[in-house]
Amino acid sequence: MYYLEIDERKKLILREVVQRFILTGNPVGSKVIAQSGKLHVSPATVRNEMAALEKMGFLKQPHTSAGREPTNIAYRYYVDILLSQKRPSHGDVEAAEQLFAVRNKEIEGMFKEASILLSELTRTAAMVFAPIEITHIVHRIDLVPLDYTHLVVIVITSMGQVGKRMIELDFSAGRDSIQVVSEFLNGEISGTDISGLDKEKLLDQSGFEGETKDLAAVVLEALASCLDVLEERIFVGGTSNIVREMDCEGREWVQRLLEAIEKQDFILALLKDLVQIRRLTVRIGEENEIRELKRCAFVGTSYPVAKGIFGSLGIVGPTSMDYARAIGIVEYIAENLGRILYRVM
Amino acid sequence: MYYLEIDERKKLILREVVQRFILTGNPVGSKVIAQSGKLHVSPATVRNEMAALEKMGFLKQPHTSAGREPTNIAYRYYVDILLSQKRPSHGDVEAAEQLFAVRNKEIEGMFKEASILLSELTRTAAMVFAPIEITHIVHRIDLVPLDYTHLVVIVITSMGQVGKRMIELDFSAGRDSIQVVSEFLNGEISGTDISGLDKEKLLDQSGFEGETKDLAAVVLEALASCLDVLEERIFVGGTSNIVREMDCEGREWVQRLLEAIEKQDFILALLKDLVQIRRLTVRIGEENEIRELKRCAFVGTSYPVAKGIFGSLGIVGPTSMDYARAIGIVEYIAENLGRILYRVM
DNA sequence: ATTAGCACTCGTTATAATGGAGTGCTAAAA
DNA sequence: TTTTAGCACTCCATTATAACGAGTGCTAAT
């Protein structure tokens, strides 16, 4: 790191430039810095320092006779070194309380609300990754007949999660055979792990014949795919903020970003990655692996939902976002979401 | 209606203007119309006709010496009268087949996929309203204990729908009392309508005492709110298309529109309204009640999911969208979604 | 009723001029 | 050696002006 070369005065100037640019979005000149009161030197001195900082790669000029704006390296340095860790403001905390005030809420609703809250407080796009335990111990299986050829298979895990699948039979199944199959499956599968299911063996054990056996086979098939439905989910909120905050970038590019968020696959990878890292992570510009995020900054962290199980959440905003505030809010929400969900999800 | 005054040649010209404007987005002049081959008159004649159409309110000029573009009235007329009902193209149909090819899919996934398909084919924002039958006959109730103070209440309706709620007890509940409550509730409530539940009476009937009674009370409370969770849902797809297609409008305005779609309450009202109307509906510009849609066009229709139960779906795009194509696709998707879901949801 | 012809309008593009914010550099002051 | 006042310079942004051309409305001829 070249960070050693930066003396105190340079730090002061750098912080000031970053903060002002975050605030106004305009390049900042030597004059305003000199008159800001933090520093008691003339604009000329500031200019010299700024030129040095530019040479070091921390500042850049949009054109020769404009003020300076921070490079991504500067943001990195700002986040790593200069940031005076801000806890979320009183107002933010108060706003966040609404999430935790409403109890007895549907679990899914918690994630959704967290994503909305996160996006509203930071005015960015927010995403919450809701993990699922990998082993699914079955609590119960339900078969709901709709008519003679359709029924819904429902699996409830011991964690209270629900997988559901509609199946269409190419034969007709009576209520009684459905009942029989249902009872048999509950007897055999309840309390066991659904992923290690030996369908063939189970079918043999059942002693079912004819239509009932066919039915059981179809249902077992559906059970397996219920697992997939029990996949992790992402809750996204505040994507419209991207249009507002990213007005510096081209329309084309904003559209691509929104599209990527909508598709969710990249975002899912990003958030899953975050679960591994398991600490506050700030990725600025090119540091992002996802192409569509290379002009943005990402702030995220993970939160626990059970022993060894973590979810993650984060926001996507402009590289010139208010990192102090964003970090504070992200950590705060993660902390509280974890606290509420832990051993409850 | 003033429609009577429009002779055949005016119709031809109007249609041509609308179609060309939809295609290119640029005002269209008299010359291109005259040379289009549909009409065998000189530009001057076309100009006279266009001046007349402008006076009637069908055309407008962005400025004195530009070509003409259609007013919303023209779009209305185009949709009502001039549209040569286009069935979806072979390519569109083929693309749509993917939705119906994958069977035995989770029901929710059908809606989601329909919204994605709709948005991709039309390159607009698409929304699918998934209705729920109003009466909820309970098929089964499940209580899943997580630890001593938390449990998940799950209600399965006779239609295979699942409502779920996590509750936190301020006392400790043993597995056995949970078992007892569960069995009692299933005995009493299964097969009945959950909305007309008399909690007090039921509690009295139960003969439960102490902790078990408290538990039953809390669970009954949660059951009621499970109904709310079983609310209608909206599936939205392709919102990023709005950024692409609406580039004529201001950023500010695009942002508001996206926000409105994200919030979903207005959209929900719109789609519910559509269920009442129960036929293809095109709303152009000011015809939309929702403020954020007044610069857009909406194309939607309803689809059946059961006898007397309808869902609805639609798209939001620029007023200069390809209505023929949009209508074709919307109807096609609605038709097929209805066919698949009917008596199965 | 149609159309050729023509003057006219007005947005678009190109070019030049002006102002000003901000810089880099130099030389003097501390 | 560090700081700073002074000044020339750069370059964006704004404004002014002109040329262009697509498209119109109107008139008069067909």
Side-chain angles (χ1 to χ4, degrees):
Chain A
M1 295 284 185
Y2 293 103
Y3 290 176
L4 301 172
E5 303 174 17
I6 300 185
D7 56 56
E8 281 309 311
R9 193 168 65 187
K10 282 196 182 62
K11 282 188 186 176
L12 214 65
I13 291 173
L14 189 54
R15 173 193 273 136
E16 200 64 19
V17 172
V18 171
Q19 286 178 348
R20 279 178 187 268
F21 187 77
I22 284 172
L23 211 65
T24 68
N26 296 321
V28 1
S30 55
K31 208 169 163 185
V32 278
I33 299 277
Q35 291 170 349
S36 71
K38 315 261 177 179
L39 211 57
H40 300 98
V41 289
S42 75
T45 310
V46 175
R47 272 204 294 282
N48 288 331
E49 295 288 52
M50 283 172 114
L53 283 167
E54 181 165 0
K55 203 162 292 175
M56 293 182 197
F58 289 99
L59 295 179
K60 66 183 173 191
Q61 293 177 283
H63 37 265
T64 322
S65 79
R68 303 300 211 294
E69 54 187 55
T71 62
N72 286 342
I73 297 174
Y75 288 126
R76 176 86 276 160
Y77 186 76
Y78 178 72
V79 169
D80 288 345
I81 315 279
L82 300 179
L83 210 55
S84 46
Q85 271 290 1
K86 250 194 262 173
R87 295 267 69 191
S89 76
H90 188 71
D92 290 341
V93 171
E94 201 167 290
E97 289 302 334
Q98 79 183 52
L99 172 64
F100 316 120
V102 190
R103 282 316 191 101
N104 281 11
K105 189 169 268 176
E106 184 206 10
I107 300 164
E108 191 170 295
M110 297 291 245
F111 294 115
K112 203 178 290 179
E113 203 140 323
S115 75
I116 292 172
L117 193 58
L118 203 48
S119 70
E120 281 181 356
L121 288 179
T122 61
R123 293 172 75 92
T124 59
M127 39 214 66
V128 177
F129 168 61
I132 274 285
E133 298 206 28
I134 301 110
T135 51
H136 303 284
I137 311 292
V138 174
H139 174 83
R140 202 189 141 77
I141 291 166
D142 264 303
L143 305 181
V144 184
L146 298 175
D147 56 27
Y148 291 114
T149 56
H150 294 95
L151 75 162
V152 178
V153 180
I154 296 170
V155 179
I156 301 174
T157 74
S158 60
M159 302 293 292
Q161 296 138 343
V162 180
K164 182 177 147 190
R165 178 130 301 186
M166 186 265 293
I167 60 181
E168 186 175 20
L169 306 171
D170 44 9
F171 54 90
S172 179
R175 302 239 159 191
D176 41 354
S177 57
I178 290 176
Q179 181 71 21
V180 169
V181 170
S182 174
E183 272 168 21
F184 170 73
L185 289 178
N186 272 298
E188 290 298 318
I189 301 179
S190 286
T192 70
D193 191 317
I194 200 178
S195 50
L197 208 62
D198 186 340
K199 289 172 230 163
E200 299 304 328
K201 195 173 153 203
L202 211 60
L203 265 184
D204 288 346
Q205 276 179 21
S206 71
F208 289 152
E209 292 297 334
E211 179 200 279
T212 312
K213 188 175 183 184
D214 292 343
L215 178 64
V218 175
V219 170
L220 277 170
E221 198 59 50
L223 280 185
S225 66
C226 276
L227 271 179
D228 310 336
V229 182
L230 270 183
E231 266 309 317
E232 307 93 348
R233 282 195 59 185
I234 295 183
F235 297 83
V236 177
T239 51
S240 65
N241 287 318
I242 286 178
V243 176
R244 188 197 312 106
E245 299 296 328
M246 292 287 178
D247 47 4
C248 43
E249 307 291 340
R251 214 165 254 268
E252 163 87 8
W253 183 83
V254 169
Q255 196 256 326
R256 277 193 212 285
L257 174 57
L258 283 175
E259 209 171 328
I261 292 177
E262 216 167 34
K263 280 240 174 62
Q264 294 202 353
D265 37 5
F266 290 120
I267 301 293
L268 182 64
L270 171 64
L271 289 173
K272 275 188 172 176
D273 196 40
L274 208 56
V275 168
Q276 300 302 320
I277 298 172
R278 205 172 299 175
R279 68 164 168 276
L280 186 96
T281 301
V282 178
R283 296 234 177 81
I284 298 162
E286 295 288 331
E287 294 168 6
N288 285 294
E289 290 188 7
I290 300 167
R291 188 155 45 90
E292 286 81 2
L293 290 187
K294 283 189 187 296
R295 296 191 199 178
C296 302
F298 172 84
V299 177
T301 192
S302 66
Y303 62 89
V305 297
K307 204 171 134 190
I309 311 284
F310 289 78
S312 59
L313 51 79
I315 62 172
V316 171
T319 51
S320 64
M321 76 166 85
D322 184 342
Y323 290 98
R325 185 149 181 274
I327 290 172
I329 292 171
V330 163
E331 282 187 330
Y332 180 78
I333 302 272
E335 215 167 86
N336 283 281
L337 192 61
R339 189 165 51 72
I340 291 179
L341 293 177
Y342 192 79
R343 266 281 31 113
V344 143
M345 209 185 86
Chain B
M1 296 284 187
Y2 292 102
Y3 291 176
L4 301 172
E5 303 174 18
I6 299 185
D7 57 57
E8 280 310 311
R9 194 168 64 185
K10 283 198 182 63
K11 282 189 186 176
L12 214 66
I13 291 173
L14 189 53
R15 171 192 274 135
E16 200 65 18
V17 172
V18 171
Q19 286 178 348
R20 281 181 186 267
F21 187 77
I22 284 172
L23 210 66
T24 68
N26 296 322
V28 0
S30 56
K31 206 170 166 185
V32 278
I33 298 278
Q35 291 169 350
S36 69
K38 314 263 176 175
L39 211 57
H40 299 99
V41 290
S42 75
T45 310
V46 176
R47 271 204 293 283
N48 288 331
E49 295 288 52
M50 284 172 116
L53 283 167
E54 181 166 1
K55 203 161 290 175
M56 294 181 196
F58 289 100
L59 296 179
K60 66 183 173 191
Q61 291 178 283
H63 35 264
T64 322
S65 79
R68 303 300 210 294
E69 53 187 54
T71 61
N72 287 342
I73 297 173
Y75 287 127
R76 175 86 277 160
Y77 186 77
Y78 178 72
V79 168
D80 287 346
I81 316 276
L82 300 178
L83 211 54
S84 45
Q85 271 290 0
K86 248 193 262 172
R87 294 268 69 194
S89 77
H90 189 71
D92 291 340
V93 171
E94 201 165 291
E97 289 301 336
Q98 78 185 49
L99 171 64
F100 318 119
V102 190
R103 281 317 190 102
N104 283 11
K105 188 169 270 178
E106 182 205 12
I107 300 164
E108 190 169 297
M110 296 292 246
F111 294 114
K112 203 178 290 179
E113 203 140 322
S115 76
I116 292 173
L117 192 57
L118 204 47
S119 70
E120 282 182 354
L121 288 179
T122 61
R123 293 172 75 90
T124 60
M127 39 214 68
V128 177
F129 167 60
I132 275 283
E133 297 207 29
I134 301 110
T135 52
H136 303 285
I137 311 291
V138 174
H139 174 83
R140 201 188 142 78
I141 292 167
D142 265 303
L143 305 181
V144 185
L146 298 174
D147 56 27
Y148 291 114
T149 56
H150 294 95
L151 75 161
V152 178
V153 179
I154 296 170
V155 179
I156 301 173
T157 74
S158 59
M159 301 294 291
Q161 296 139 344
V162 179
K164 182 176 147 190
R165 178 130 300 187
M166 186 265 294
I167 59 181
E168 187 175 19
L169 307 171
D170 44 9
F171 54 89
S172 179
R175 303 238 158 193
D176 42 355
S177 57
I178 290 175
Q179 181 70 22
V180 169
V181 170
S182 173
E183 271 169 21
F184 170 73
L185 288 179
N186 272 300
E188 290 297 318
I189 301 180
S190 285
T192 71
D193 191 315
I194 201 178
S195 50
L197 209 60
D198 187 339
K199 288 173 230 163
E200 299 304 325
K201 195 174 152 199
L202 212 59
L203 265 184
D204 289 345
Q205 278 180 20
S206 70
F208 289 152
E209 292 295 335
E211 180 200 275
T212 312
K213 188 176 182 184
D214 292 344
L215 178 65
V218 174
V219 169
L220 277 170
E221 199 61 48
L223 279 185
S225 64
C226 275
L227 271 180
D228 309 336
V229 182
L230 269 183
E231 266 307 317
E232 308 92 348
R233 281 195 60 184
I234 295 182
F235 298 83
V236 176
T239 52
S240 65
N241 286 319
I242 286 178
V243 176
R244 187 197 313 105
E245 299 296 327
M246 293 289 178
D247 47 3
C248 44
E249 306 292 340
R251 213 165 256 267
E252 163 87 9
W253 184 83
V254 169
Q255 196 255 325
R256 277 192 211 285
L257 174 57
L258 283 175
E259 211 172 327
I261 292 177
E262 216 167 35
K263 280 238 174 63
Q264 294 202 353
D265 36 5
F266 291 120
I267 301 292
L268 182 63
L270 171 65
L271 289 173
K272 274 189 173 176
D273 196 41
L274 208 56
V275 168
Q276 300 302 321
I277 298 172
R278 203 172 301 173
R279 68 164 167 276
L280 186 95
T281 301
V282 178
R283 296 233 177 84
I284 299 162
E286 295 289 330
E287 294 169 5
N288 285 293
E289 289 188 7
I290 300 168
R291 187 156 43 92
E292 286 81 2
L293 290 186
K294 284 188 186 295
R295 297 191 199 179
C296 302
F298 172 84
V299 177
T301 192
S302 66
Y303 61 90
V305 296
K307 204 171 137 194
I309 311 282
F310 289 78
S312 59
L313 51 79
I315 61 173
V316 170
T319 51
S320 65
M321 76 166 83
D322 184 341
Y323 290 97
R325 185 149 180 274
I327 289 172
I329 292 171
V330 163
E331 281 187 328
Y332 181 78
I333 301 272
E335 215 168 86
N336 283 281
L337 192 61
R339 191 166 47 73
I340 290 178
L341 293 177
Y342 193 78
R343 267 281 31 115
V344 143
M345 210 184 84

